[in-house]
Amino acid sequence: QVQLVESGGGLVQAGDSLRLSCVFSAGPTFSSAHMAWFRQPAGKEREFVANIWRDGKTINYAESVKGRFTISRDNAKNTVWLQMNNAKSEDTAVYHCAADFRSWVGYRPSDYAYWGQGTQVTVSS
């Protein structure tokens, strides 16, 4: 069974950087999974942040984070990262990683079958 564990969240000031990690610790081969990051601000819907397909080359970002965030993966470490630069207060949310093994994935939570429990990111203004 797939297990995803996020880490790296915390409290930062606007303009700072941080890196979130998600370890794929059990289940099918990590290299076969499309991976994504979503976030959910308090009281709001879960929203797409970025994804990276299993080929490691097909990458998509939400417009709100384009140019600031970078998603990457290392199949040897069963890990996907989200590098967050120039953090803004609007980035405050619980960040979840997600995985799926279907042929394609997009930008909706329903595209992903497996989810981590999340890590809190708070950006002070």
Side-chain angles (χ1 to χ4, degrees), residues 45-85:
E45 296 290 322
R46 190 166 297 186
E47 64 183 16
F48 172 80
V49 176
N51 65 17
I52 181 167
W53 285 28
R54 54 177 168 248
D55 62 7
K57 299 178 181 179
T58 305
I59 296 173
N60 299 282
Y61 296 98
E63 185 67 27
S64 60
V65 307
K66 193 174 298 182
R68 298 189 298 120
F69 291 7
T70 302
I71 188 171
S72 60
R73 67 189 294 163
D74 186 338
N75 290 345
K77 297 181 178 180
N78 290 352
T79 301
V80 62
W81 295 273
L82 184 69
Q83 178 68 42
M84 304 170 58
N85 293 334

Side-chain angles (χ1 to χ4, degrees), residues 1-115:
Q1 189 172 8
V2 173
Q3 295 182 21
L4 303 172
V5 181
E6 304 97 334
S7 62
L11 175 64
V12 299
Q13 295 184 354
D16 286 354
S17 297
L18 71 165
R19 186 175 69 172
L20 308 183
S21 299
C22 174
V23 178
F24 184 109
S25 60
T29 303
F30 174 74
S31 62
S32 298
H34 303 306
M35 301 295 300
W37 287 96
F38 287 77
R39 66 188 183 187
Q40 187 166 16
K44 298 183 179 180
E45 296 290 322
R46 190 166 297 186
E47 64 183 16
F48 172 80
V49 176
N51 65 17
I52 181 167
W53 285 28
R54 54 177 168 248
D55 62 7
K57 299 178 181 179
T58 305
I59 296 173
N60 299 282
Y61 296 98
E63 185 67 27
S64 60
V65 307
K66 193 174 298 182
R68 298 189 298 120
F69 291 7
T70 302
I71 188 171
S72 60
R73 67 189 294 163
D74 186 338
N75 290 345
K77 297 181 178 180
N78 290 352
T79 301
V80 62
W81 295 273
L82 184 69
Q83 178 68 42
M84 304 170 58
N85 293 334
N86 191 23
K88 301 178 179 180
S89 60
E90 66 188 74
D91 297 323
T92 296
V94 176
Y95 283 71
H96 296 264
C97 65
D100 202 89
F101 297 90
R102 71 187 74 189
S103 297
W104 60 269
V105 293
Y107 316 124
R108 298 179 177 178
S110 59
D111 290 340
Y112 301 87
Y114 304 99
W115 293 83

